[in-house]
Amino acid sequence: MEYTHSQLIDQIANLRCLFDEVFVVDAATSRRLDPDTMQPTDTIESIPDLDEHGRAWRPLYGQEGGSMALYWSLMADHRPFVLTAVYKLPVHPNGGAREAAALSRMLTQCRSEMCRDYVTGVYNRSFLDAEFRDRVGQAAAAGQPVSVVLVRVNEYARLCRTESVAAADRCLTTAAGILSLAVGPEQSDTPLIRLEDGVFLVVGIGTDARTLEYRLRDALDSARRTFSITLARRGEFTATVVSADWAETGSWDWMLSLAEQRLGG
């Protein structure tokens, strides 16, 4: 679908009469764009895979309830973009209709499943993007300490390459269990999140980076870090732990980037 810039602005205005939020995304960078200048602003959750017609949909979740997002691929002034329209679902379906109540229950279950890593059972990046980024910013604005700790399971890549993905997954599951006990069962202010390539993220609200890093290091040093490679062989993993503090950077993206630099250094 081809638009001129002015046609795209008109289309966004028309859709805003029907949806709660409409915006344009650069799919390559997952950056939201200012429709007037087409320059990137903030980072959003990644765009789902589009079908052969250039369309997709998925539920979104936030602290105030669920939403449904629709995606269309388009061209504007010969550049590819994705148009996104979001409809916020009512928290309590009007009239309590059976179909609406069933949809609400289904989305609640879907939310729980989508926010969890299927291997380790801890939170995944979808939870981080959909629910926790805003909380971090609000906490920092209120003067609370905010920090992140990255934990890399060093043997993960080698296990995938030389043993099996199943062995690597068992290694990650062991690490996740140790880290879950360290951060506590509730994880309301200190969620444990699995990222990619054998890396876990712990976000601390109300906890400085040094305290949180020490807690996780101590838990890993004190625990048995053994896992099954096969039925006949067991292995032991090591971990690299780094941290960063909001006070060092003043923003979520820079804080996480600083931690990633330290992890790679």
Side-chain angles (χ1 to χ4, degrees):
M1 190 175 296
E2 181 77 36
Y3 291 89
T4 65
H5 185 234
S6 61
Q7 288 173 331
L8 178 60
I9 295 295
D10 291 340
Q11 181 71 290
I12 292 173
N14 292 332
L15 288 172
R16 281 176 175 165
C17 297
L18 303 173
F19 293 90
D20 295 290
E21 191 175 10
V22 181
F23 53 91
V24 181
V25 176
D26 181 348
T29 61
S30 293
R31 297 293 298 273
R32 186 167 174 166
L33 304 176
D34 183 322
D36 294 322
T37 64
M38 301 302 282
Q39 295 300 308
T41 56
D42 54 328
T43 302
I44 66 163
E45 189 175 354
S46 60
I47 298 296
D49 293 335
L50 305 177
D51 64 16
E52 64 272 18
H53 303 293
R55 301 173 184 173
W57 69 274
R58 71 175 168 197
L60 302 177
Y61 303 104
Q63 295 179 5
E64 298 179 356
S67 303
M68 194 68 69
L70 306 177
Y71 304 88
W72 300 271
S73 63
L74 57 88
M75 299 286 291
D77 290 338
H78 310 294
R79 292 176 58 192
F81 301 103
V82 175
L83 186 61
T84 305
V86 179
Y87 172 70
K88 295 180 180 178
L89 300 173
V91 178
H92 302 290
N94 293 334
R98 183 175 61 182
E99 294 83 359
L103 176 61
S104 180
R105 289 194 300 270
M106 181 191 72
L107 289 175
T108 298
Q109 181 179 355
C110 182
R111 175 186 186 181
S112 177
E113 293 176 354
M114 287 183 64
C115 288
R116 293 285 180 177
D117 172 48
Y118 69 97
V119 172
T120 62
V122 303
Y123 291 118
N124 60 19
R125 188 179 284 277
S126 293
F127 168 84
L128 179 67
D129 292 336
E131 296 199 16
F132 220 75
R133 287 174 64 100
D134 290 343
R135 282 197 60 197
V136 167
Q138 292 166 6
Q144 292 182 267
V146 174
S147 59
V148 293
V149 175
L150 291 178
V151 180
R152 182 181 63 218
V153 177
N154 297 320
E155 289 71 19
Y156 177 77
R158 178 181 60 79
L159 287 166
C160 288
R161 185 176 63 253
T162 64
E163 297 291 347
S164 67
V165 173
D169 286 347
R170 286 192 290 271
C171 178
L172 281 191
T173 300
T174 300
I178 296 170
L179 295 173
S180 293
L181 288 175
V183 300
E186 295 299 327
Q187 298 190 25
S188 57
D189 289 329
T190 317
L192 172 63
I193 298 146
R194 181 190 171 188
L195 301 181
E196 299 80 20
D197 301 324
V199 177
F200 293 94
L201 168 70
V202 179
V203 183
I205 292 181
T207 307
D208 64 88
R210 179 170 298 186
T211 300
L212 186 56
E213 181 180 343
Y214 176 81
R215 188 198 311 175
L216 298 177
R217 284 185 182 274
D218 184 60
L220 289 164
D221 290 342
S222 304
R224 293 184 60 194
R225 290 171 276 115
T226 58
F227 62 96
S228 296
I229 297 176
T230 66
L231 291 176
R233 291 189 296 133
R234 296 182 67 81
E236 183 173 350
F237 73 86
T238 61
T240 301
V241 184
V242 299
S243 64
D245 211 299
W246 183 282
E248 297 180 271
T249 61
S251 78
W252 166 260
D253 291 327
W254 282 107
M255 178 176 62
L256 189 56
S257 177
L258 177 60
E260 290 171 341
Q261 291 175 26
R262 289 171 175 169
L263 188 64

